[in-house]
Amino acid sequence: MDKLKAERERGITIDCSIFKFVTKTKRYTIIDAPGHRDFIKNMITGTSQADVALLILPASEFATAFSDDGQAREHTVLAYTLGIRQLIVAVNKMDAVDWKEEKFKEIQDEFSKFVANVGFKAEFVK
């Protein structure tokens, strides 16, 4: 959804992008908000308009993303503060950790404790 030339060149989302679609019973709007620390104001703008958030955690860089000043923590707290009560968490880059199930479980355990402390209800779909 990255439309700006700078976004494509840098491989990161800088500005919010919106994509709308309709089914027979629902109307959806997907907001692609930046996750990069330099564009946190744009992330807040996008998140403030959302009902549900999807947070992508990188398995290969989880320690950095989840550190005390990591973006995963910051985005989770901001989303909750902005009124989001449903957070979907996905783990990507599992190939970079050789698809190790124990790494996935470590991320799941650590992050679920954190989101519960923030205020989200942790549920798992397998």
Side-chain angles (χ1 to χ4, degrees):
M1 292 179 56
D2 294 334
K3 295 178 183 172
L4 299 175
K5 182 179 178 185
E7 291 176 318
R8 291 189 305 275
E9 287 174 353
R10 293 177 64 182
I12 61 172
T13 301
I14 295 171
D15 200 7
C16 291
S17 298
I18 296 175
F19 176 76
K20 297 180 181 191
F21 65 96
V22 179
T23 68
K24 290 181 181 180
T25 59
K26 304 266 192 232
R27 298 172 63 142
Y28 296 94
T29 303
I30 297 174
I31 303 168
D32 181 18
H36 195 275
R37 184 174 309 280
D38 292 346
F39 306 106
I40 196 71
K41 289 179 184 177
N42 294 351
M43 176 271 184
I44 291 169
T45 300
T47 304
S48 68
Q49 300 173 54
D51 297 317
V52 177
L54 171 63
L55 180 69
I56 309 294
L57 296 175
S60 58
E61 296 125 29
F62 179 70
T64 301
F66 192 60
S67 66
D68 286 341
D69 63 343
Q71 291 173 309
R73 285 182 184 265
E74 180 179 32
H75 292 326
T76 302
V77 171
L78 282 171
Y80 193 82
T81 302
L82 291 166
I84 302 288
R85 294 300 177 261
Q86 293 181 341
L87 177 69
I88 301 165
V89 179
V91 179
N92 74 343
K93 300 185 181 180
M94 286 298 298
D95 57 324
V97 294
D98 298 323
W99 306 100
K100 292 182 181 169
E101 186 174 357
E102 56 270 10
K103 180 62 176 178
F104 178 82
K105 288 185 182 289
E106 172 194 331
I107 292 169
Q108 183 181 37
D109 290 345
E110 284 189 55
F111 208 72
S112 62
K113 289 174 191 171
F114 172 70
V115 297
N117 284 335
V118 171
F120 289 104
K121 183 178 176 184
E123 296 179 18
F124 301 101
V125 177
K126 294 184 180 191

